[in-house]
Structure formats: structure tokens, C-alpha cells
Amino acid sequence: MADERFISVEGIARRYAVGDHVTTIFEDLWLALPKGAFTCVIGHSGCGKTTVLNILAGLESPSEGAVIVDGHEISGPSLDRAVIFQGHALLPWKTVLGNVAYAVASRWKTASRTEIRDRAQRYIDLVGLRGSEHKRPAELSGGMKQRVGIARALSIEPKILLMDEPFSALDALTRGALQDEARRLCAEAGQTVFMITHDVDEAIYLADRIVLMTNGPGALVAEIVENPLPRDRARDALHHAAAYYPLRNHLIDFLVTRGGAFRDNLPAGYDRRRPPVTTQWPGAPIAPTPMAMATNFATR
């Protein structure tokens, strides 16, 4: 990818003081994200994943360090960065069209009412909600509300899309459908995506790279795993890919065993500023070329 440090997390820390006691969620955290990449972050509750996302969004400030996006330090919220929360966070008094149009109007302040409505309608159509434009959130299912959230976030055409477990509360079929939509729409728009998930299979399906964080407090970025599966992967063929189960086992092994011990027993040579990037793991096929992987995947 052309810009390997489009987002550069540089030595950030987040501390909370309660009385005389200070809790360090994480400190001296470094992470570089390429432009156009879909990055998923996995780690146990309490490791600071959501705090990192909030700092990227400009909703929180780091206690130390800085986050640089496209050469500029983040100092607050920006329409270049959109957030899809775990909860839908819709305005209950506005319709589907009203919620999306509100975001569009915030982005294009001089647009006419017709232009705003047409742009909002285009994104409502993209997430499959044509016919529900005039319904309010109380009239929508959970999956439909999340579709509105996706449409609203994408409608402002942000450079960066931040997602905090947006599908975790949904049933399996709805979750799968929205994962498919989010992956397709983000790819078409060339979004740089930072997504938090506890679901290993979701990360494998969606991500180009998977960031593994150790247990908190005092969490670290232990490892960045490059997903070897082709970007045009298909859900129904995913488990047939030669690298799928070795990759899945590697991630689960980290969550179950390695993640808890990593922080207190740092591997020799570990550098916080350059977390190791893993492309091979026990049981994985021996370094297949991208073309060979795509061919294997397509013919299974």
C-alpha cells in the first residue's frame, strides 16, 4: 500500500485518576495503519481498544503522545473520521432519511435541500433501506438501525471509518449480512477502517490485518497479523482456504494463553515502537504467493 503510516499512533498513553490512585490503561502505545487498509483490533475487555478508537475519533485526548492522520495531529472530532458505535446512536425524533440527511448537511453546508436529500437517499439505497425512509428508529429492527448508522457514517465520505463492535448485538444472519455490506461499501469507497471486535471469525473475514492487544491495564500491541487470505474472499468458501484454520488457531491461542502472559514476559527484542508483524505461524502453509493463494481459494 502506498502510505504505510497514513494513521500513526505515536507513544500514546491513557491514564485515569481516582482520588490518589492512577490507573494506566496503556502507555507508550505505537501503531501504524496503511491508507485503505481494513484493520481489526482484538483483545480482552479492559485492554483499551475502545479508548484507542475514541482517541482516533478525537472524542478523547491521550494523556501522552499523539495521533497523526495524513500528516496532521488529531486535536478533536472531524468529519474526515466517522464512527459507527456498538449502539446505533440515532436521533429518535428523526426518520431514517432525517438521520442520514443530518449528517450530509453537516458535511455539505451549502448544499440545497434537494442535493442533501438525494445524497442521503443514495446511501439509504446502498444499505438496502429503500422504502423505510420515513420510519423512525422505534419502528426499525436492530439490524435496520445499524444499517442507518452505516449509511449515516458513509454518507459524509470520511477518509477514516471507526467501528466499535457494530454488529455484536445482532443475530447471526443479520450480522453476516451487515458484515458483507460494510466490507463491500468500504472497499468501494477506499475507506481506511479501524474496527474493534471480539469475534475472531469476523476479524478473519473482514480484515487485511489484525492487531492483537495484551490484557490490561498496561496493555501493549503484542503483534500485528497480516491476513493471508485474498481481499476478494467469499464467506461460504472461507473455511476451505489452506491458511484459514492455522490463522484462526493462532488468534485464539493468543486470546486464551499468550495474551495474558505477553506483557509480563516480553519476548527478546520486542520494540514497542515497532510491534512485530506476523505473516507465518505454526501449521500455516509455507509462504504461498498472493497469486497462488487466490488460485487455491478460487478452486476449492
Side-chain angles (χ1 to χ4, degrees), residues 198-250:
H198 282 107
D199 188 329
V200 167
D201 292 303
E202 180 172 69
I204 293 172
Y205 178 56
L206 293 174
D208 300 312
R209 49 174 53 190
I210 302 165
V211 175
L212 304 179
M213 289 187 68
T214 67
N215 295 2
L220 304 166
V221 174
E223 182 182 343
I224 300 169
V225 178
E226 294 283 357
N227 193 334
L229 304 178
R231 292 195 89 184
D232 60 347
R233 63 195 75 131
R235 179 186 297 277
D236 58 356
L238 198 67
H239 62 291
H240 291 299
Y244 173 74
Y245 283 107
L247 171 58
R248 191 175 191 275
N249 291 341
H250 182 78

Side-chain angles (χ1 to χ4, degrees), residues 52-75:
V52 173
L53 182 142
N54 287 340
I55 290 172
L56 289 175
L59 301 176
E60 289 190 45
S61 298
S63 304
E64 295 172 7
V67 177
I68 311 299
V69 174
D70 203 15
H72 301 280
E73 182 177 350
I74 290 177
S75 58

Side-chain angles (χ1 to χ4, degrees), residues 229-278:
L229 304 178
R231 292 195 89 184
D232 60 347
R233 63 195 75 131
R235 179 186 297 277
D236 58 356
L238 198 67
H239 62 291
H240 291 299
Y244 173 74
Y245 283 107
L247 171 58
R248 191 175 191 275
N249 291 341
H250 182 78
L251 299 178
I252 290 176
D253 178 63
F254 176 83
L255 292 173
V256 173
T257 58
R258 293 185 294 117
F262 187 97
R263 182 192 59 203
D264 301 320
N265 299 280
L266 294 179
Y270 174 79
D271 184 350
R272 288 174 179 261
R273 295 186 173 223
R274 297 175 181 81
V277 177
T278 303

Side-chain angles (χ1 to χ4, degrees), residues 127 129 141-147 150 166-182 202 235:
V127 299
L129 284 178
S141 69
M144 293 171 77
K145 291 174 185 175
Q146 286 300 78
R147 288 173 190 260
I150 293 171
F167 315 126
S168 61
L170 305 175
D171 65 89
L173 288 177
T174 303
R175 183 166 62 248
L178 290 185
Q179 287 170 350
D180 292 344
E181 281 188 6
E202 180 172 69
R235 179 186 297 277

Side-chain angles (χ1 to χ4, degrees), residues 4 34 51 91-92 95 101 131 135 146 155 158 164 186 190 192-193 201 215 222 227 230 241 250 259 263 269 279:
E4 286 295 317
T51 302
L91 301 176
T95 63
K135 292 181 178 180
Q146 286 300 78
S155 71
D164 188 0
C186 291
T192 301
V193 183
D201 292 303
N215 295 2
N227 193 334
H250 182 78
R263 182 192 59 203
T279 58

